[in-house]
Amino acid sequence: MKEGVKLNNLEKLFECIKKIAKRNPEKILLPNTFFIFGSVKYDESKCIACLTCYENCPLGAYDVERKFDLSMIKKIDLSKTYWKRAIIYQLIMEIAVKDLEGYVEVPEGLPGYGSVKHNEDLCISCRKCVDLCPTGALSFECEFDMKKIWR
Amino acid sequence: MKKENEELRIGFFQCHCGKNIGGVVNVKEVVEYAKKLPNVVVAEENMFLCSDPGRNQIKEAIKKYKLNRVVTSHCTPTLHQETFRTVLKESGLNPFFHENVNTREHVSWVHYDDPKKATDKAKVLVAGGIYRVLKHKPIETIRVKVKKSVLVLGGGPAGIQAALDLGKAGYKVYLVDKMPHLGGNMARLGKVFPTDDCPICILGKKFHEIRTTKEIEVITYAELKEISGFVGNYKVKLIKKPRYVDENKCIGCLSCVNVCPVRVPKEWDEGLTYRPAIYINYPAQFPRVPVRDEKSCINCGACKRVCPTGAINFEQKPEEIELEVGAIIVATGYEEWKPKELEEYGYGRYKNVITQLELARMLDPEGPTHGKPWRPSDARFDKRTRKLIIDGKPPKRYVFIQCVGSRDERYFSYCSKICCMYSLKHAKMILTDVDPNAEIYMCFMDVRAAGKYYEEYYRDIQKLGLRIIRGKVSEIRENPDKSLTVIVEDTLLGKKIQLNADLVVLASALRPRKDARELADKLRITLSGDGFFKELHPKVGPVDTVTAGIFIAGAASGPKDIPDSVASGSAAAARAMALLGKGEIEITLNKAEVNEELCIGCGICQKMCPYGAIKVYETYKGRKAKVSEIECQGCGACAGACPTGAVMRRNYELDQIFAQIEGIIKAAKELFKDEPIVICFACKQCAYAASEAAGTSRLKYPPNVFVIRIPCSGTIDPAYILKAFKEGADVVYVGGCEPGSCAYVDGNLKAEKRVKFVKNILDKIGLGSERLEIFWIPAPEAKKFAEVAKMMVERARKLGPNPLRVKEMKIPMKITR
C-alpha cells in the first residue's frame, strides 16, 4: 500500500493472511457482493471522457488524461459505438491523409474527448464509478490479485 | 405532418427584390438550376416575394402542386423567415418545412461587380437549402399559462413610468427600489432641463398616481436575492432590509428625525451635508417613512420616546419576500463616476473641485443654503449646534469641465449624453437664481444639445452670459486661498489660457451601477462592452434582452435623459403587456431535444448548459437527460458537446447541417471548379449579423465563401467541421461573438475549445490546422467580416486544394505544406 490512504484494518488483515497462507496463490475469485477487494477495469475504447468517475470518486483515484488516442479509431468497431462518435471517427478516417497514430491534445474544459487514468493504489473498490459509468468503460472484476498482499 | 414514406415535394421560389437581386443575379438561370435539383416539383420567381401577390403565389403553388416543403430565396432570414413560415402555417404545413436562402446580403449586394459568379453562388446556396429542407422535421408550439404580474426593479423615472403604465392596464406590479424611497437619481436634481421645473413636483404627481393605483405595490429598501423559473412564471426572492420603522404605523411627522442627536455625512448629498442617524433623504420622499442607520445610531432611544404611534422598532430583522411574476423590468439606472483616477483635475485632492451631481445637491432649494452654492473649503461642521456652518464668500467664478471620463479611451469610451445639458442647466440656475454677475466658464470638446428644445436652451444660456471655451483642461492648481487656477488649451485661439476659479465643477461620466454584473448573472442577461445591460437589438429591440420576459428600461441600458428614460419605461411596459396580455404565451420548441434511445446519461450536456435547462434524471430506462423546453434558450451548446448524438438542437440537427454542407459543396465543386471552397459557420447573433451588415454596406469579398447559419457558435460540433472537409471544403472557419459578449453566456468559448481540438486533429492527420480557424466577428463589424472572408480565401489559395478534393479531381495529389 502506498502512503496517503492508510487503511490500518486492511493492512492488519493482509498481515494475517501472510502469516497463515501456506502457498502463494495468484488470484482468488470473490463473491460479487464482497466489497473492499476486487479491482476496477478500464476500457479506453469505450470511454467518452464524460469525467463522471473523476468527479464522483471519493478518493480522487482518477486523473484526467487530456489526450485523445488517434490510433484507437482504427481499432474500434464503428457499428458498435455511439452514433455520433461513429460519424466523427468515420469522418476522421476518411479525411486523414496520414496514418492515424499518436495522440491529439484535448483543450482543458472540453469534455467528451480524451480518457481517464485509474490509480489502483488509491482505489478502495467502492464501485461508485462502475455504477455511475454511463458507457460501461469501467467494469468490476471480483478477482483479487494476491500479489498486492505479497508486495 | 410527415406521413410514412410520404413523397417529398419541394417548391422553390426566387425573389427579385425589385432590382436588388434581379439586377445582379440571373434569376431565370437560378430557377432553371433549381428545377434540376432532387425532389423539386416547381420553381418560380417573383418580383417581390414578401408582398401579398408573392405570398399568394406560394400558397397557390402549395395547393396546386401538393407541395410539402418550401425553399424561398430572398433576403436574410432575420428579415423574412418568419413571413414565409407563416405562409406555410396558413397553408396547413408545419412552418419548419421551410428553408430560407439568403441571395441578397450574401450574393447580389456583395458580388455586384461579377454577375456571373454571383449567379453561381446563388445556385450553390440554393442547392444547400434544397438538400437541407429534405431533412427538416416538424416543430410544434406549446401554450403556457403566464402570471399577469410584473416586477419592476428600480424606482427612478423609467421604473415609475413602467409601473404606472402596467398598473393602469390592470397588471399587478411590484415596484422595488433598493433605496428607502422612490425617485432615483432624478430626485437629487434641483431642476430638470429643458423646462427647468423641479423634479420633486413632477415626481410628486407620479407618487400620487402610484398611491391611487391599487395594482401597484411599492417595496422599498429591498434587493433582488434570487430568481428561478422562466418566462411568464418567474419566482423571485427579495430581501427587504430592516428600516427599523414600521411603514404601516409611521405617519411621517418626522419627530424622530428632529430629536436624533447624531450627525453623520449624508450620502444623498454626496457627503456635503449632515444627517441624523434616523433620517429621510428629501422631504417629499415616497414613502415618507424615515430609516434608521444602524451603524451610526447610538441607541439612545430618543426617537422611540417621541414617536406618537410607536412605529419605531429596533428589533426588526431582514425580511424575505417571495413573488411570482410573469415578467421583470430592470430599471436600475446609473451611477455618477467619481473621477479620482483622473489626477490632472485633482478631484478628491482639492476640496473645491466637485462633480456636477454635487453642484446639483448644492443648488437644491431644500439644501442648507436654499440653493446657493458654497465652496466646500469654507464649510465646517459645528459640533455644538450640529449644523453646517459656511463662512466665506459665495463663489463668484466657476469653471465647468465637460467630458470628464466620457469619450475618453482610458475610462469610458461612450458619450454620457446628458452632461452637456445638465451643465448648461446648472449655469442657467446660477446665472438666473443665484448670482447674475457670476463668471462661468465652460470648457468643452463639443456641446451636444440634441433633443427637443435643447438647442434653444443652449442659445438662451449663451445670451445669459455663459462663457464657453473650446478646449481641454490640462492642469488644475490649488492656490493658498483654496481658489483654483485652471489651465486650458483653447483650440480655437490656439493658445493656453489661465483661468481663476472659486469652484471647478466636473461633468463626470455616467457609469453602470457597480452591481450590474451581479444582477445580470442573476437575471441571466448580458452586459455590453461598456458595462451597461445589453439590449437584444440596438435598433429594433431596445428594451428586450436575451432572456425572454426580462426587459430593460432607462439608464440601465446606457446614459439617458429623463424624456428618454420615461419613454423607454413605457416601451418596456408595453413589451411586458404584449407578452402577458393574453394570459398565455406560445412557445415554439425550436430548441434542444433528447433522443432517449441514444442518451446514456453521461451528463456532459448538463455541464454545458448555461441555463440549467438540461438535466440528467434517473428513469426506469436508466439515467437519461431531459430538456426543460421552457427554460431552454436554444443555443445548442449541449448538442455540440453530446458524445452520442442524443441531444440535438431542433432545426439545426446533425443530418440537416450535413445535408446543407453536402448540397453546397456538391454544387460548388461543379460551379467553382478551379476556385477554393470556403465554408463559414456563422453565429446568427454576431458573425451572421456582420455578414448582413457587409451586404447592407455593399462590402465586396470573394464569392467563394459560403455561410452556414447556426444559432450560436457554441452549437458547432466537430462533426460539422470534419464533414465540410470530407465533402471537399478547402478552408473552414467559425465566426463567433467576442469573449464576454456571447448572447448565450459563453457559447463562443465552448466553440473555441472544440475548434482548437479539431485543429489538433487536423495537424495529426495531415490536413494542417491552418485550414480551420475561429474568429470573433461582432455584429456591427461588417468590415471585419469582409476582411476575414478575403483572408481565408487567400489562405485557401496558398494552401492549395483539400487533398480529398484533389483525389476526386484525379489530379496528382500535392500537399502544399
Side-chain angles (χ1 to χ4, degrees):
Chain A
M1 297 269 344
K2 266 194 180 173
E3 272 185 13
V5 185
K6 282 215 169 161
L7 297 163
N8 286 331
N9 288 340
L10 202 63
E11 272 173 15
K12 273 179 202 160
L13 186 65
F14 284 179
E15 288 301 314
C16 291
I17 295 172
K18 267 188 198 177
K19 274 179 198 162
I20 57 167
K22 284 180 184 153
R23 57 198 175 97
N24 178 359
E26 285 276 293
K27 274 175 181 172
I28 50 172
L29 205 64
L30 299 163
N32 192 26
T33 48
F34 201 81
F35 274 77
I36 303 181
F37 302 114
S39 57
V40 172
K41 287 274 167 298
Y42 172 55
D43 179 0
E44 199 187 327
S45 68
K46 281 186 185 166
C47 180
I48 53 161
C50 63
L51 310 187
T52 308
C53 48
Y54 168 76
E55 281 159 12
N56 288 296
C57 180
L59 283 156
Y62 284 94
D63 282 329
V64 186
E65 288 272 297
R66 300 204 182 286
K67 275 175 184 162
F68 175 70
D69 189 1
L70 269 181
S71 57
M72 192 179 67
I73 295 175
K74 290 184 289 186
K75 292 175 208 156
I76 293 179
D77 181 3
L78 289 185
S79 62
K80 280 185 187 155
T81 185
Y82 302 111
W83 178 60
K84 198 161 100 185
R85 282 186 100 65
I87 290 173
I88 292 178
Y89 290 171
Q90 181 82 36
L91 286 168
I92 293 178
M93 280 208 276
E94 279 173 5
I95 64 172
V97 283
K98 273 192 197 164
D99 215 19
L100 292 178
E101 258 170 22
Y103 290 92
V104 172
E105 204 186 313
V106 180
E108 203 180 329
L110 178 72
Y113 302 94
S115 57
V116 290
K117 207 175 152 202
H118 181 235
N119 187 347
E120 218 166 88
D121 290 339
L122 288 174
C123 181
I124 51 159
S125 308
C126 69
R127 305 189 202 185
K128 197 171 178 189
C129 51
V130 180
D131 290 345
L132 286 172
C133 180
T135 63
L138 295 175
S139 53
F140 195 75
E141 236 166 57
C142 295
E143 270 177 351
F144 181 65
D145 190 359
M146 289 302 273
K147 278 184 202 156
K148 249 188 185 177
I149 296 178
W150 302 111
R151 208 160 40 200
Chain B
M1 278 342 75
K2 195 190 165 193
K3 289 160 209 126
E4 281 299 309
N5 301 325
E6 187 194 26
E7 188 201 355
L8 297 176
R9 299 170 68 85
I10 303 177
F12 171 74
F13 302 90
Q14 172 72 46
C15 177
H16 280 256
C17 198
K19 284 214 120 183
N20 278 316
I21 297 172
V24 178
V25 175
N26 187 338
V27 171
K28 290 233 154 41
E29 234 180 80
V30 176
V31 169
E32 285 309 311
Y33 181 82
K35 275 183 189 162
K36 289 178 206 144
L37 291 169
N39 296 52
V40 176
V41 180
V42 55
E44 286 174 359
E45 54 188 289
N46 191 291
M47 197 43 103
F48 292 104
L49 204 59
C50 56
S51 65
D52 276 343
R55 295 205 308 271
N56 285 336
Q57 186 183 349
I58 299 176
K59 277 186 201 167
E60 275 159 26
I62 291 174
K63 227 188 264 169
K64 194 173 162 195
Y65 299 100
K66 297 199 176 78
L67 303 176
N68 46 28
R69 298 286 188 279
V70 172
V71 177
T72 55
S73 165
H74 43 87
C75 48
T76 163
T78 325
L79 210 60
H80 274 310
Q81 190 168 47
E82 232 22 78
T83 316
F84 296 107
R85 278 182 183 166
T86 319
V87 171
L88 264 75
K89 205 175 172 185
E90 286 165 359
S91 305
L93 291 173
N94 188 287
F96 287 86
F97 284 154
H98 164 259
E99 173 63 13
N100 186 146
V101 180
N102 185 350
T103 46
R104 193 176 76 179
E105 278 82 351
H106 283 173
V107 181
S108 64
W109 277 359
V110 283
H111 311 310
Y112 51 86
D113 56 339
D114 190 352
K116 168 82 189 52
K117 278 277 161 248
T119 309
D120 285 348
K121 185 176 177 182
K123 287 180 196 168
V124 170
L125 294 178
V126 167
I130 285 172
Y131 275 76
R132 191 187 204 277
V133 86
L134 290 171
K135 303 282 179 192
H136 274 205
K137 289 179 190 153
I139 298 177
E140 301 307 320
T141 50
I142 52 168
R143 285 172 176 280
V144 179
K145 278 225 155 65
V146 294
K147 298 259 167 345
K148 272 194 153 191
S149 57
V150 181
L151 170 71
V152 180
L153 289 174
I160 289 173
Q161 188 62 39
L164 281 174
D165 285 356
L166 286 162
K168 285 181 180 169
Y171 292 78
K172 176 81 191 161
V173 183
Y174 302 97
L175 180 55
V176 176
D177 204 310
K178 74 172 181 183
M179 294 293 281
H181 51 76
L182 299 180
N185 275 322
M186 182 180 173
R188 303 168 84 180
L189 314 169
K191 278 183 179 177
V192 282
F193 60 81
T195 43
D196 287 344
D197 33 11
C198 82
I200 303 299
C201 322
I202 311 173
L203 283 172
K205 185 172 169 279
K206 295 279 178 194
F207 294 158
H208 178 70
E209 282 179 53
I210 289 174
R211 234 177 263 133
T212 51
T213 311
K214 281 199 301 288
E215 285 84 357
I216 303 177
E217 188 180 325
V218 177
I219 305 169
T220 50
Y221 219 38
E223 278 180 44
L224 183 74
K225 187 187 171 205
E226 59 180 51
I227 169 173
S228 58
F230 45 85
V231 52
N233 292 282
Y234 286 112
K235 283 193 178 64
V236 180
K237 270 187 196 160
L238 302 172
I239 289 285
K240 189 169 166 56
K241 292 174 271 183
R243 72 196 295 155
Y244 303 106
V245 180
D246 191 331
E247 283 173 46
N248 298 325
K249 284 186 191 164
C250 179
I251 52 166
C253 66
L254 307 188
S255 326
C256 51
V257 176
N258 295 332
V259 297
C260 182
V262 180
R263 289 295 179 274
V264 284
K266 191 173 179 182
E267 300 84 358
W268 183 252
D269 288 342
E270 301 286 329
L272 291 165
T273 64
Y274 295 83
R275 63 158 173 86
I278 188 161
Y279 66 99
I280 58 164
N281 274 335
Y282 62 100
Q285 79 173 41
F286 174 72
R288 196 178 145 99
V289 177
V291 58
R292 167 178 167 258
D293 174 15
E294 201 203 348
K295 273 181 210 148
S296 54
C297 179
I298 53 168
N299 292 319
C300 65
C303 46
K304 262 191 203 171
R305 284 191 292 275
V306 295
C307 182
T309 59
I312 296 170
N313 173 13
F314 283 10
E315 308 301 316
Q316 245 181 28
K317 292 268 170 317
E319 192 186 331
E320 200 173 277
I321 303 173
E322 274 182 46
L323 304 173
E324 286 187 352
V325 293
I328 298 171
I329 294 175
V330 185
T332 47
Y334 67 90
E335 262 173 27
E336 191 194 46
W337 183 56
K338 297 292 164 209
K340 280 183 186 152
E341 296 154 50
L342 251 172
E343 287 188 359
E344 58 261 44
Y345 295 156
Y347 179 82
R349 218 158 10 115
Y350 306 146
K351 271 194 159 175
N352 293 338
V353 178
I354 60 171
T355 65
Q356 287 282 5
L357 189 61
E358 288 163 19
L359 180 65
R361 292 311 304 145
M362 288 181 180
L363 288 167
D364 192 329
E366 283 163 358
T369 55
H370 306 289
K372 302 246 186 310
W374 66 89
R375 300 203 313 171
S377 66
D378 296 338
R380 72 188 161 81
F381 178 65
D382 188 61
K383 277 189 182 154
R384 202 173 51 82
T385 56
R386 296 199 294 266
K387 269 185 184 150
L388 188 75
I389 308 283
I390 295 152
D391 40 23
K393 276 187 207 160
K396 190 101 186 129
R397 290 159 304 170
Y398 299 82
V399 174
F400 287 4
I401 302 174
Q402 298 306 108
C403 292
V404 175
S406 324
R407 302 171 72 199
D408 188 333
E409 288 301 325
R410 292 172 297 169
Y411 305 103
F412 306 97
S413 50
Y414 53 85
C415 167
S416 291
K417 208 175 167 186
I418 62 171
C419 323
C420 291
M421 288 307 292
Y422 66 56
S423 300
L424 292 173
K425 174 196 78 189
H426 289 159
K428 189 174 178 186
M429 282 168 82
I430 293 169
L431 288 170
T432 51
D433 304 344
V434 181
D435 181 4
N437 299 320
E439 288 173 33
I440 306 178
Y441 294 92
M442 184 167 155
C443 309
F444 66 97
M445 294 203 277
D446 305 283
V447 168
R448 296 186 167 177
K452 201 172 181 184
Y453 312 124
Y454 287 9
E455 187 65 24
E456 294 87 333
Y457 193 81
Y458 177 32
R459 290 236 182 100
D460 284 351
I461 294 156
Q462 278 177 307
K463 276 178 209 155
L464 282 175
L466 172 71
R467 294 153 207 216
I468 53 176
I469 298 170
R470 191 171 196 282
K472 204 145 175 119
V473 173
S474 57
E475 197 190 346
I476 296 175
R477 279 199 296 264
E478 196 176 42
N479 303 322
D481 65 341
K482 303 282 173 197
S483 68
L484 299 148
T485 304
V486 182
I487 296 159
V488 199
E489 200 94 36
D490 190 323
T491 52
L492 293 179
L493 296 174
K495 62 179 182 188
K496 267 188 187 175
I497 301 179
Q498 198 168 320
L499 299 169
N500 285 323
D502 297 320
L503 209 52
V504 171
V505 192
L506 308 177
S508 189
L510 306 193
R511 53 166 292 165
R513 287 219 169 264
K514 284 193 188 80
D515 55 1
R517 163 65 62 189
E518 198 189 318
L519 189 59
D521 288 346
K522 275 183 199 160
L523 295 168
R524 297 181 304 212
I525 60 177
T526 45
L527 299 181
S528 46
D530 51 17
F532 287 102
F533 295 114
K534 193 178 177 206
E535 60 285 305
L536 188 63
H537 190 285
K539 278 181 280 184
V540 293
V543 295
D544 297 60
T545 65
V546 283
T547 307
I550 296 186
F551 305 99
I552 40 177
S557 62
K560 277 184 192 64
D561 54 17
I562 294 164
D564 284 0
S565 293
V566 172
S568 75
S570 278
R575 295 289 295 128
M577 283 185 232
L579 178 76
L580 308 174
K582 283 185 188 161
E584 57 178 19
I585 48 171
E586 232 176 45
I587 297 178
T588 304
L589 298 180
N590 191 5
K591 298 174 175 191
E593 163 191 43
V594 179
N595 180 343
E596 283 206 349
E597 276 171 33
L598 287 172
C599 182
I600 53 168
C602 67
I604 290 179
C605 47
Q606 190 177 331
K607 281 175 221 160
M608 283 291 131
C609 181
Y611 304 104
I614 187 163
K615 283 193 184 111
V616 175
Y617 295 95
E618 215 55 72
T619 69
Y620 68 94
K621 286 185 212 155
R623 288 160 63 80
K624 302 279 171 201
K626 218 178 148 204
V627 183
S628 160
E629 278 159 337
I630 302 161
E631 281 173 89
C632 175
Q633 303 286 321
C635 66
C638 49
C642 178
T644 64
V647 187
M648 281 284 159
R649 165 71 164 83
R650 286 194 182 109
N651 210 33
Y652 292 92
E653 294 184 18
L654 203 68
D655 50 348
Q656 294 168 348
I657 299 282
F658 272 24
Q660 192 176 5
I661 296 172
E662 269 167 35
I664 287 181
I665 300 184
K666 218 179 205 175
K669 275 190 203 157
E670 188 186 310
L671 296 162
F672 288 79
K673 227 175 205 157
D674 311 317
E675 290 280 318
I677 300 170
V678 178
I679 297 284
C680 164
F681 292 100
C683 154
K684 73 174 177 190
Q685 310 285 346
C686 51
Y688 197 90
S691 78
E692 289 167 2
T696 330
S697 32
R698 312 289 198 276
L699 293 175
K700 279 191 280 186
Y701 55 85
N704 34 356
V705 177
F706 307 106
V707 180
I708 294 175
R709 188 172 182 247
I710 48 177
C712 166
S713 52
T715 319
I716 201 81
D717 191 311
Y720 295 175
I721 302 168
L722 294 168
K723 176 73 177 176
F725 283 121
K726 198 242 141 185
E727 290 302 316
D730 297 307
V731 161
V732 175
Y733 69 96
V734 180
C737 306
E738 278 197 322
S741 64
C742 176
Y744 302 108
V745 186
D746 59 350
N748 47 357
L749 303 178
K750 288 167 193 155
E752 193 186 17
K753 280 170 198 153
R754 287 178 209 151
V755 167
K756 210 168 151 197
F757 176 59
V758 180
K759 271 172 88 101
N760 292 346
I761 292 181
L762 292 179
D763 256 341
K764 279 273 176 209
I765 62 173
L767 243 72
S769 58
E770 298 94 332
R771 291 192 187 271
L772 173 65
E773 215 60 72
I774 183 160
F775 294 99
W776 306 137
I777 313 176
E781 302 237 8
K783 240 186 178 168
K784 185 165 180 190
F785 180 84
E787 272 163 23
V788 166
K790 260 180 231 165
M791 193 180 94
M792 293 316 275
V793 172
E794 276 311 306
R795 188 183 283 190
R797 287 222 167 86
K798 225 162 115 202
L799 290 170
N802 178 344
L804 287 171
R805 207 174 152 202
V806 178
K807 234 187 257 174
E808 254 166 50
M809 287 154 85
K810 296 201 177 83
I811 301 168
M813 197 176 86
K814 187 180 88 191
I815 305 166
T816 45
R817 264 202 326 123

